[in-house]
Amino acid sequence: MDKLISVIVAAYNVAPWLSRCIESILAQTYKNLEIILIDDGSTDETSNIIDCYAKKDPRIVAVHQKNAGLVAVRDNGIELATGEFMAFVDGDDALDPDMYERLLNNAEKYDADISHCGVRFCFLDGHEEAHYGTGKIVVQNNFDGVKDLLEGVFIEPGLWNKLYKTSLLKDSCLDPSILNNEDLLRNYVVFSRAKKSVYEDFCGYQYFQRDGSMSKDKDRVVSSARHIAKARHLIVENASKEIYPYAMQTWLSAIVNSINEMTDSHDQECVDYCKECRDVLKKERKNLHYLIKRQQLAARLILISPTLHRKVYHVYYRTKYEQ
């Protein structure tokens, strides 16, 4: 295993966590890395930290750009990368030391275009949740890879727990204006191009939940929901006949989830968006059977009576989350 892996690190105002991230990459047991650190117009010490590390290790390439967002950072990294394989890291996260060695070993062992693993979610209060750490290995052909991605049962939609053949990622952004679910959308394109993928369920990526991260914006609930719905509808529009049911499921589930999440909101923007979502469900009534049973029920209740849906959802929520 002497193939070069290009690691694209997106960094925007992550000075308190960036050294932890970079050190975890430098500590990888697989050493043949090209580490591209991209500062997306940060206003804190992120830029200086990147430059300091670039002076210490010749494998590091420091890049500074005007603030353009996560999609643009990754597109820039893809253009700059020279490795046969590519990986992505968010600047406030970290990796287990053997993550890339294990992913590359699996890619070569199974002749796979994508090698991916589980993730460990690390929360502000110190507790962690592993998704999932069972140790199982799943080899996926093209169809199964895309289907499993869209179903989201065990594959995370993020780019950061995966190792890709670089050739798959060229021109992989369908819509640069989409700011939420952009990872799922790009992964859809890339998995659609991959002949084979392999998944090993070890939790090699440490995803740190924090306020103000590049992928998190609590103050823009409706805007985020619109981006998610748009991303998933693009998948529907680009889906093959075989993948269409799974694409429709992931789009309509986003519509139902938005109504569930905003059902108690009195904010006019939320109320209006819920009405828009209900109109979508009316228009797509013939396709509701693609949803899982629970969401089918929710969608039909929404169409019959939003008030009844709200009451039933309250009971469901209390039963599931408040016991």
Side-chain angles (χ1 to χ4, degrees):
M1 293 194 302
D2 59 353
K3 294 180 171 64
L4 180 65
I5 298 175
S6 295
V7 183
I8 313 303
V9 182
Y12 175 69
N13 286 350
V14 290
W17 311 279
L18 185 55
S19 291
R20 176 186 65 194
C21 173
I22 297 172
E23 291 290 348
S24 76
I25 299 171
L26 297 177
Q28 290 294 298
T29 54
Y30 188 80
K31 300 298 183 183
N32 194 18
L33 305 176
E34 173 187 55
I35 306 166
I36 303 175
L37 305 178
I38 304 180
D39 168 34
D40 188 34
S42 298
T43 57
D44 63 0
E45 289 299 306
T46 294
S47 178
N48 292 333
I49 293 171
I50 287 174
D51 287 340
C52 286
Y53 273 97
K55 293 174 183 177
K56 294 178 182 178
D57 194 308
R59 296 176 298 172
I60 293 177
V61 178
V63 179
H64 304 279
Q65 65 180 44
K66 292 182 179 179
N67 181 249
L70 187 55
V71 175
V73 167
R74 287 169 172 169
D75 280 340
N76 193 11
I78 291 168
E79 290 301 314
L80 294 170
T82 63
E84 183 175 344
F85 284 87
M86 190 182 303
F88 299 88
V89 183
D90 288 349
D92 50 355
D93 294 335
L95 315 176
D96 284 0
D98 61 348
M99 177 174 159
Y100 289 145
E101 183 175 4
R102 294 177 71 170
L103 290 180
L104 184 57
N105 180 63
N106 285 338
E108 295 190 327
K109 179 179 179 180
Y110 296 98
D111 190 25
D113 297 322
I114 302 171
S115 178
H116 50 129
C117 64
V119 58
R120 202 158 68 249
F121 291 99
C122 307
F123 294 87
L124 290 172
D125 62 5
H127 87 278
E128 297 181 355
E129 293 180 5
H131 289 212
Y132 294 92
T134 65
K136 72 176 181 179
I137 293 179
V138 180
V139 179
Q140 301 153 305
N141 60 23
N142 175 270
F143 172 80
D144 287 337
V146 179
K147 176 183 73 70
D148 291 344
L149 172 71
L150 295 180
E151 286 185 324
V153 175
F154 65 91
I155 298 182
E156 289 295 328
L159 299 175
W160 19 258
N161 60 333
K162 299 173 178 66
L163 186 67
Y164 305 90
K165 281 193 175 176
T166 298
S167 58
L168 297 177
L169 285 152
K170 301 298 183 183
D171 300 316
S172 58
C173 179
L174 285 180
D175 187 341
S177 71
I178 291 175
L179 305 179
N180 296 87
N181 254 195
E182 71 276 9
D183 281 17
L184 175 64
L185 186 57
R186 195 187 295 269
N187 264 324
Y188 169 74
V189 173
V190 176
F191 272 81
S192 295
R193 295 172 176 174
K195 293 179 180 179
K196 186 190 294 185
S197 306
V198 58
Y199 172 79
E200 182 180 0
D201 193 10
F202 70 95
C203 299
Y205 192 89
Q206 303 167 35
Y207 185 99
F208 284 84
Q209 299 277 3
R210 67 175 183 84
D211 295 330
S213 67
M214 294 179 84
S215 60
K216 203 173 184 182
D217 192 345
K218 294 180 180 178
D219 296 328
R220 302 179 64 215
V221 176
V222 173
S223 176
S224 296
R226 288 187 187 279
H227 281 278
I228 290 169
K230 184 178 180 181
R232 297 185 182 202
H233 191 251
L234 261 177
I235 293 173
V236 172
E237 292 179 335
N238 286 274
S240 65
K241 182 179 179 180
E242 294 77 17
I243 289 299
Y244 183 82
Y246 306 99
M248 184 62 71
Q249 175 190 331
T250 195
W251 175 48
L252 292 178
S253 69
I255 300 299
V256 173
N257 288 341
S258 290
I259 296 177
N260 287 341
E261 291 166 9
M262 300 180 202
T263 188
D264 288 326
S265 177
H266 298 292
D267 178 82
Q268 192 58 49
E269 189 179 15
C270 290
V271 172
D272 291 343
Y273 185 66
C274 284
K275 289 179 181 177
E276 290 179 32
C277 289
R278 189 165 182 259
D279 289 341
V280 170
L281 295 178
K282 285 181 182 178
K283 183 179 179 181
E284 300 294 336
R285 189 188 297 266
K286 67 181 184 300
N287 291 317
L288 297 183
H289 66 280
Y290 290 125
L291 290 166
I292 62 174
K293 296 297 183 182
R294 170 173 52 80
Q295 290 194 318
Q296 281 187 46
L297 174 61
R300 298 188 191 285
L301 281 175
I302 290 165
L303 293 177
I304 294 169
S305 169
T307 301
L308 178 59
H309 162 262
R310 186 179 301 112
K311 291 179 180 179
V312 172
Y313 180 72
H314 285 166
V315 173
Y316 165 79
Y317 188 90
R318 286 196 300 269
T319 301
K320 184 171 183 179
Y321 297 107
E322 295 181 1
Q323 286 185 338

